[in-house]
mmCIF file of all heavy atoms in Angstrom:
data_model
loop_
_atom_site.group_PDB
_atom_site.id
_atom_site.type_symbol
_atom_site.label_atom_id
_atom_site.label_comp_id
_atom_site.label_asym_id
_atom_site.label_seq_id
_atom_site.Cartn_x
_atom_site.Cartn_y
_atom_site.Cartn_z
ATOM 1 N N ILE A 187 35.171 14.158 -52.257
ATOM 2 C CA ILE A 187 36.383 13.403 -51.879
ATOM 3 C C ILE A 187 36.273 12.087 -52.634
ATOM 4 O O ILE A 187 35.306 11.337 -52.460
ATOM 5 C CB ILE A 187 36.498 13.239 -50.337
ATOM 6 C CG1 ILE A 187 36.659 14.587 -49.668
ATOM 7 C CG2 ILE A 187 37.674 12.295 -50.033
ATOM 8 C CD1 ILE A 187 36.717 14.547 -48.168
ATOM 9 N N PHE A 188 37.318 11.764 -53.417
ATOM 10 C CA PHE A 188 37.256 10.620 -54.286
ATOM 11 C C PHE A 188 38.451 9.724 -54.051
ATOM 12 O O PHE A 188 39.558 10.141 -53.890
ATOM 13 C CB PHE A 188 37.193 11.147 -55.734
ATOM 14 C CG PHE A 188 36.252 12.163 -56.061
ATOM 15 C CD1 PHE A 188 36.596 13.528 -56.113
ATOM 16 C CD2 PHE A 188 34.926 11.854 -56.217
ATOM 17 C CE1 PHE A 188 35.655 14.520 -56.331
ATOM 18 C CE2 PHE A 188 33.949 12.835 -56.442
ATOM 19 C CZ PHE A 188 34.313 14.189 -56.512
ATOM 20 N N ALA A 189 38.172 8.392 -54.066
ATOM 21 C CA ALA A 189 39.280 7.375 -53.928
ATOM 22 C C ALA A 189 39.987 7.358 -55.263
ATOM 23 O O ALA A 189 39.437 7.207 -56.379
ATOM 24 C CB ALA A 189 38.641 6.090 -53.647
ATOM 25 N N GLU A 190 41.289 7.557 -55.192
ATOM 26 C CA GLU A 190 42.045 7.622 -56.448
ATOM 27 C C GLU A 190 43.469 7.193 -56.117
ATOM 28 O O GLU A 190 44.155 7.667 -55.187
ATOM 29 C CB GLU A 190 42.107 9.020 -57.024
ATOM 30 C CG GLU A 190 42.718 9.109 -58.406
ATOM 31 C CD GLU A 190 41.889 8.365 -59.489
ATOM 32 O OE1 GLU A 190 40.670 8.438 -59.410
ATOM 33 O OE2 GLU A 190 42.516 7.725 -60.334
ATOM 34 N N ASP A 191 44.051 6.200 -56.878
ATOM 35 C CA ASP A 191 45.375 5.820 -56.695
ATOM 36 C C ASP A 191 46.371 6.659 -57.384
ATOM 37 O O ASP A 191 47.007 6.334 -58.388
ATOM 38 C CB ASP A 191 45.534 4.298 -57.160
ATOM 39 C CG ASP A 191 46.835 3.689 -56.762
ATOM 40 O OD1 ASP A 191 47.513 4.201 -55.891
ATOM 41 O OD2 ASP A 191 47.260 2.656 -57.385
ATOM 42 N N HIS A 192 46.590 7.818 -56.794
ATOM 43 C CA HIS A 192 47.496 8.817 -57.387
ATOM 44 C C HIS A 192 48.406 9.315 -56.272
ATOM 45 O O HIS A 192 47.919 9.711 -55.190
ATOM 46 C CB HIS A 192 46.700 10.005 -57.946
ATOM 47 C CG HIS A 192 47.586 11.067 -58.577
ATOM 48 N ND1 HIS A 192 48.155 10.882 -59.828
ATOM 49 C CD2 HIS A 192 47.933 12.310 -58.154
ATOM 50 C CE1 HIS A 192 48.795 12.009 -60.123
ATOM 51 N NE2 HIS A 192 48.740 12.829 -59.095
ATOM 52 N N GLU A 193 49.704 9.270 -56.524
ATOM 53 C CA GLU A 193 50.688 9.596 -55.416
ATOM 54 C C GLU A 193 51.560 10.702 -55.832
ATOM 55 O O GLU A 193 52.697 10.865 -55.255
ATOM 56 C CB GLU A 193 51.457 8.350 -55.072
ATOM 57 C CG GLU A 193 50.583 7.242 -54.431
ATOM 58 C CD GLU A 193 51.322 6.027 -54.058
ATOM 59 O OE1 GLU A 193 52.566 6.005 -54.281
ATOM 60 O OE2 GLU A 193 50.794 5.111 -53.421
ATOM 61 N N GLU A 194 51.283 11.496 -56.826
ATOM 62 C CA GLU A 194 52.074 12.650 -57.265
ATOM 63 C C GLU A 194 51.395 13.920 -56.855
ATOM 64 O O GLU A 194 50.248 13.922 -56.506
ATOM 65 C CB GLU A 194 52.306 12.590 -58.817
ATOM 66 C CG GLU A 194 53.002 11.309 -59.308
ATOM 67 C CD GLU A 194 54.443 11.159 -58.760
ATOM 68 O OE1 GLU A 194 55.055 12.163 -58.479
ATOM 69 O OE2 GLU A 194 54.841 9.982 -58.530
ATOM 70 N N MET A 195 52.122 14.977 -56.907
ATOM 71 C CA MET A 195 51.589 16.262 -56.454
ATOM 72 C C MET A 195 50.352 16.683 -57.225
ATOM 73 O O MET A 195 50.279 16.530 -58.428
ATOM 74 C CB MET A 195 52.667 17.345 -56.612
ATOM 75 C CG MET A 195 53.577 17.458 -55.449
ATOM 76 S SD MET A 195 54.696 18.888 -55.674
ATOM 77 C CE MET A 195 56.135 18.232 -54.931
ATOM 78 N N VAL A 196 49.438 17.285 -56.483
ATOM 79 C CA VAL A 196 48.262 17.926 -57.126
ATOM 80 C C VAL A 196 48.337 19.421 -56.663
ATOM 81 O O VAL A 196 48.446 19.681 -55.526
ATOM 82 C CB VAL A 196 46.920 17.309 -56.597
ATOM 83 C CG1 VAL A 196 45.762 18.100 -57.189
ATOM 84 C CG2 VAL A 196 46.827 15.912 -56.984
ATOM 85 N N ILE A 197 48.410 20.335 -57.684
ATOM 86 C CA ILE A 197 48.601 21.725 -57.371
ATOM 87 C C ILE A 197 47.532 22.576 -58.053
ATOM 88 O O ILE A 197 47.237 22.336 -59.261
ATOM 89 C CB ILE A 197 50.001 22.220 -57.752
ATOM 90 C CG1 ILE A 197 51.140 21.451 -57.054
ATOM 91 C CG2 ILE A 197 50.146 23.723 -57.508
ATOM 92 C CD1 ILE A 197 52.469 21.792 -57.561
ATOM 93 N N VAL A 198 46.887 23.404 -57.349
ATOM 94 C CA VAL A 198 46.040 24.474 -57.952
ATOM 95 C C VAL A 198 46.726 25.812 -57.562
ATOM 96 O O VAL A 198 46.809 26.105 -56.366
ATOM 97 C CB VAL A 198 44.582 24.408 -57.405
ATOM 98 C CG1 VAL A 198 43.770 25.565 -58.042
ATOM 99 C CG2 VAL A 198 43.939 23.073 -57.793
ATOM 100 N N ARG A 199 47.099 26.530 -58.528
ATOM 101 C CA ARG A 199 47.860 27.752 -58.210
ATOM 102 C C ARG A 199 47.101 28.984 -58.651
ATOM 103 O O ARG A 199 46.126 28.911 -59.465
ATOM 104 C CB ARG A 199 49.248 27.707 -58.872
ATOM 105 C CG ARG A 199 49.222 27.844 -60.352
ATOM 106 C CD ARG A 199 50.652 27.769 -60.987
ATOM 107 N NE ARG A 199 50.575 28.110 -62.362
ATOM 108 C CZ ARG A 199 51.717 28.136 -63.122
ATOM 109 N NH1 ARG A 199 52.889 27.793 -62.595
ATOM 110 N NH2 ARG A 199 51.638 28.488 -64.421
ATOM 111 N N ASP A 200 47.586 30.145 -58.190
ATOM 112 C CA ASP A 200 47.049 31.423 -58.570
ATOM 113 C C ASP A 200 45.532 31.545 -58.345
ATOM 114 O O ASP A 200 44.802 32.043 -59.165
ATOM 115 C CB ASP A 200 47.329 31.736 -60.042
ATOM 116 C CG ASP A 200 48.854 31.856 -60.300
ATOM 117 O OD1 ASP A 200 49.558 32.150 -59.351
ATOM 118 O OD2 ASP A 200 49.239 31.670 -61.479
ATOM 119 N N ILE A 201 45.119 31.088 -57.160
ATOM 120 C CA ILE A 201 43.700 31.328 -56.743
ATOM 121 C C ILE A 201 43.577 32.738 -56.116
ATOM 122 O O ILE A 201 44.264 33.089 -55.215
ATOM 123 C CB ILE A 201 43.283 30.257 -55.644
ATOM 124 C CG1 ILE A 201 43.500 28.840 -56.189
ATOM 125 C CG2 ILE A 201 41.866 30.534 -55.195
ATOM 126 C CD1 ILE A 201 43.354 27.787 -55.054
ATOM 127 N N ASP A 202 42.711 33.519 -56.731
ATOM 128 C CA ASP A 202 42.552 34.887 -56.242
ATOM 129 C C ASP A 202 41.870 34.832 -54.859
ATOM 130 O O ASP A 202 40.878 34.135 -54.636
ATOM 131 C CB ASP A 202 41.673 35.704 -57.202
ATOM 132 C CG ASP A 202 42.398 36.025 -58.443
ATOM 133 O OD1 ASP A 202 43.590 36.510 -58.393
ATOM 134 O OD2 ASP A 202 41.866 35.835 -59.553
ATOM 135 N N VAL A 203 42.356 35.624 -53.944
ATOM 136 C CA VAL A 203 41.754 35.754 -52.646
ATOM 137 C C VAL A 203 41.586 37.268 -52.300
ATOM 138 O O VAL A 203 42.443 38.069 -52.621
ATOM 139 C CB VAL A 203 42.617 35.083 -51.492
ATOM 140 C CG1 VAL A 203 42.566 33.566 -51.666
ATOM 141 C CG2 VAL A 203 44.053 35.600 -51.520
ATOM 142 N N PHE A 204 40.523 37.590 -51.565
ATOM 143 C CA PHE A 204 40.214 38.889 -51.131
ATOM 144 C C PHE A 204 39.804 38.790 -49.669
ATOM 145 O O PHE A 204 38.872 38.041 -49.342
ATOM 146 C CB PHE A 204 39.057 39.474 -51.942
ATOM 147 C CG PHE A 204 39.275 39.448 -53.456
ATOM 148 C CD1 PHE A 204 38.939 38.373 -54.237
ATOM 149 C CD2 PHE A 204 39.892 40.539 -54.052
ATOM 150 C CE1 PHE A 204 39.173 38.334 -55.574
ATOM 151 C CE2 PHE A 204 40.123 40.513 -55.419
ATOM 152 C CZ PHE A 204 39.761 39.407 -56.193
ATOM 153 N N SER A 205 40.435 39.584 -48.799
ATOM 154 C CA SER A 205 40.172 39.427 -47.408
ATOM 155 C C SER A 205 40.221 40.867 -46.816
ATOM 156 O O SER A 205 40.576 41.812 -47.487
ATOM 157 C CB SER A 205 41.064 38.504 -46.721
ATOM 158 O OG SER A 205 40.677 38.230 -45.375
ATOM 159 N N LEU A 206 39.855 40.958 -45.514
ATOM 160 C CA LEU A 206 39.938 42.193 -44.758
ATOM 161 C C LEU A 206 40.899 42.028 -43.612
ATOM 162 O O LEU A 206 40.806 41.120 -42.842
ATOM 163 C CB LEU A 206 38.556 42.540 -44.151
ATOM 164 C CG LEU A 206 37.501 42.921 -45.216
ATOM 165 C CD1 LEU A 206 36.155 43.152 -44.457
ATOM 166 C CD2 LEU A 206 37.825 44.204 -45.962
ATOM 167 N N CYS A 207 41.879 42.930 -43.547
ATOM 168 C CA CYS A 207 42.884 42.939 -42.526
ATOM 169 C C CYS A 207 42.089 43.241 -41.181
ATOM 170 O O CYS A 207 41.389 44.168 -41.055
ATOM 171 C CB CYS A 207 43.864 44.049 -42.764
ATOM 172 S SG CYS A 207 44.915 44.415 -41.325
ATOM 173 N N GLU A 208 42.352 42.409 -40.201
ATOM 174 C CA GLU A 208 41.626 42.540 -38.909
ATOM 175 C C GLU A 208 42.168 43.697 -38.096
ATOM 176 O O GLU A 208 41.521 44.100 -37.150
ATOM 177 C CB GLU A 208 41.670 41.286 -38.123
ATOM 178 C CG GLU A 208 43.073 40.896 -37.605
ATOM 179 C CD GLU A 208 43.004 39.619 -36.759
ATOM 180 O OE1 GLU A 208 42.209 38.733 -36.969
ATOM 181 O OE2 GLU A 208 43.881 39.487 -35.824
ATOM 182 N N HIS A 209 43.371 44.240 -38.445
ATOM 183 C CA HIS A 209 43.892 45.351 -37.715
ATOM 184 C C HIS A 209 43.292 46.684 -38.092
ATOM 185 O O HIS A 209 43.167 47.584 -37.255
ATOM 186 C CB HIS A 209 45.413 45.407 -37.884
ATOM 187 C CG HIS A 209 46.046 44.122 -37.370
ATOM 188 N ND1 HIS A 209 47.207 43.627 -37.965
ATOM 189 C CD2 HIS A 209 45.810 43.326 -36.341
ATOM 190 C CE1 HIS A 209 47.617 42.567 -37.285
ATOM 191 N NE2 HIS A 209 46.714 42.305 -36.348
ATOM 192 N N HIS A 210 43.004 46.838 -39.423
ATOM 193 C CA HIS A 210 42.496 48.125 -39.887
ATOM 194 C C HIS A 210 41.172 47.959 -40.680
ATOM 195 O O HIS A 210 40.580 48.960 -41.070
ATOM 196 C CB HIS A 210 43.478 48.813 -40.748
ATOM 197 C CG HIS A 210 44.823 49.029 -40.107
ATOM 198 N ND1 HIS A 210 45.893 48.176 -40.229
ATOM 199 C CD2 HIS A 210 45.176 50.031 -39.248
ATOM 200 C CE1 HIS A 210 46.890 48.595 -39.571
ATOM 201 N NE2 HIS A 210 46.551 49.756 -38.978
ATOM 202 N N MET A 211 40.772 46.759 -40.873
ATOM 203 C CA MET A 211 39.519 46.444 -41.654
ATOM 204 C C MET A 211 39.560 47.036 -43.062
ATOM 205 O O MET A 211 38.525 47.576 -43.508
ATOM 206 C CB MET A 211 38.250 46.854 -40.864
ATOM 207 C CG MET A 211 37.997 45.968 -39.710
ATOM 208 S SD MET A 211 36.409 46.284 -38.888
ATOM 209 C CE MET A 211 35.249 45.797 -40.186
ATOM 210 N N VAL A 212 40.735 47.043 -43.635
ATOM 211 C CA VAL A 212 40.820 47.478 -45.056
ATOM 212 C C VAL A 212 41.285 46.191 -45.821
ATOM 213 O O VAL A 212 41.841 45.291 -45.279
ATOM 214 C CB VAL A 212 41.858 48.646 -45.238
ATOM 215 C CG1 VAL A 212 41.274 49.874 -44.612
ATOM 216 C CG2 VAL A 212 43.170 48.238 -44.725
#
Side-chain angles (χ1 to χ4, degrees):
I187 296 177
F188 310 99
E190 189 67 39
D191 189 17
H192 181 78
E193 298 181 354
E194 301 298 329
M195 272 186 215
V196 177
I197 299 174
V198 177
R199 70 180 190 182
D200 295 338
I201 302 169
D202 289 313
V203 290
F204 305 88
S205 191
L206 292 175
C207 165
E208 68 178 30
H209 299 146
H210 303 96
M211 288 187 68
V212 293

